[in-house]
């Protein structure tokens, strides 16, 4: 009987852990948003937990989809973790956290685009939603760049946004759209790599 209870407890623990990790991985963007929001409200306990959750989610992103940007993503996860004690003490400044969060947004957005580009034109087809999410991350994160780089990135993002919507089409237009944005998307990834 004790063995069954023990086994049941282990299974329950693993189920809760896997669900928690799954939720963290699936909501990296919302966790980043939550950290910024909680920082502005001054809720130390929740902020500390959100920072830890976001760092774990970012580590998950780095290990599963990091590829050539894995080291940069892991470095930012470590930076985020190092902010947790400051949050606990109430000495974490919102602008410091925002800078880290925006850097993460840039890296994650560029990394996801880079992963799609590694599969060539075919990697872009049918992935309008993923690309739109990546563009939104880059748009949010570009505040960390200087004015010239912001303008350059903003212009590149604006240039691809229209064509991205066509990538889910079943006609030849989707292939034309994929061909037309491959190079600009590559420039976006290169800009982030050079500046972050």
């Amino acid at each position: 009987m004790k063995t069954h209870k023990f086994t049941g407890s282990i299974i329950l623990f693993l189920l809760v852990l896997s669900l928690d990790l799954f939720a963290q991985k699936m909501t990296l963007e919302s966790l980043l948003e939550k950290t910024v929001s909680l920082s502005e409200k001054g809720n130390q306990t929740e902020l500390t937990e959100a920072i830890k959750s976001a760092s774990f989610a970012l580590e998950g992103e780095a290990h599963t989809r990091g590829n050539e940007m894995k080291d940069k993503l892991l470095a930012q996860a470590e930076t985020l973790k190092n902010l947790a004690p400051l949050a606990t003490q109430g000495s974490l400044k919102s602008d410091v956290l925002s800078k880290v969060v925006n850097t993460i947004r840039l890296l994650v957005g560029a990394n996801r685009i880079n992963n799609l580009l590694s599969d060539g034109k075919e990697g872009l087809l049918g992935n309008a939603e993923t690309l739109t999410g990546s563009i939104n991350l880059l748009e949010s994160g570009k505040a960390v760049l200087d004015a010239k780089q912001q303008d350059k990135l903003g212009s590149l993002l604006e240039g691809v946004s229209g064509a991205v919507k066509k990538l889910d089409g079943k006609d030849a237009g989707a292939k034309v759209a994929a061909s037309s944005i491959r190079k600009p998307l590559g420039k976006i990834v290169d800009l982030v790599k050079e500046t972050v």
Side-chain angles (χ1 to χ4, degrees):
M1 187 69 175
K2 284 183 179 178
T3 306
H4 290 299
K5 283 185 179 178
F6 181 69
T7 306
S9 296
I10 290 174
I11 291 170
L12 183 62
F13 171 76
L14 291 174
L15 181 63
V16 169
L17 181 66
S18 63
L19 286 172
D20 187 44
L21 290 173
F22 179 74
Q24 288 174 4
K25 185 179 171 198
M26 297 304 292
T27 61
L28 174 59
E29 294 89 330
S30 60
L31 283 168
L32 292 172
E33 191 64 44
K34 186 176 180 180
T35 60
V36 173
S37 174
L38 289 170
S39 171
E40 290 165 357
K41 292 176 184 171
N43 189 326
Q44 297 169 340
T45 307
E46 285 187 45
L47 174 59
T48 303
E49 288 309 309
I51 287 173
K52 288 177 183 175
S53 296
S55 69
F56 293 139
L58 184 55
E59 283 177 348
E61 178 96 14
H63 288 300
T64 56
R65 298 186 279 192
N67 296 332
E68 64 189 78
M69 294 177 120
K70 180 178 179 179
D71 290 342
K72 287 187 177 190
L73 291 167
L74 287 174
Q76 288 303 312
E78 193 61 33
T79 300
L80 202 54
K81 268 186 203 170
N82 292 336
L83 296 179
L86 296 175
T88 303
Q89 297 161 13
S91 58
L92 177 59
K93 294 182 179 161
S94 292
D95 59 334
V96 172
L97 178 62
S98 291
K99 186 175 180 181
V100 173
V101 166
N102 284 332
T103 301
I104 292 168
R105 286 171 173 154
L106 285 177
L107 285 171
V108 170
N111 183 62
R112 289 178 182 174
I113 290 171
N114 198 38
N115 286 343
L116 293 177
L117 287 173
S118 67
D119 292 331
K121 185 171 64 175
E122 289 71 29
L124 301 175
L125 294 171
N127 280 308
E129 187 178 344
T130 302
L131 277 169
T132 300
S134 299
I135 287 169
N136 290 340
L137 279 170
L138 290 162
E139 194 66 54
S140 299
K142 72 178 183 179
V144 80
L145 302 174
D146 66 35
K148 187 178 178 183
Q149 293 166 335
Q150 280 189 46
D151 288 345
K152 188 174 179 182
L153 182 56
S155 178
L156 287 166
L157 293 173
E158 192 177 321
V160 298
S161 292
V164 163
K165 295 171 187 167
K166 299 175 184 173
L167 293 174
D168 285 345
K170 303 289 181 196
D171 56 4
K175 290 184 179 178
V176 171
S179 296
S180 72
I181 62 171
R182 261 185 80 194
K183 197 170 179 181
L185 286 173
K187 287 182 179 178
I188 289 168
V189 172
D190 289 341
L191 176 62
V192 173
K193 283 181 183 175
E194 289 164 14
T195 56
V196 177

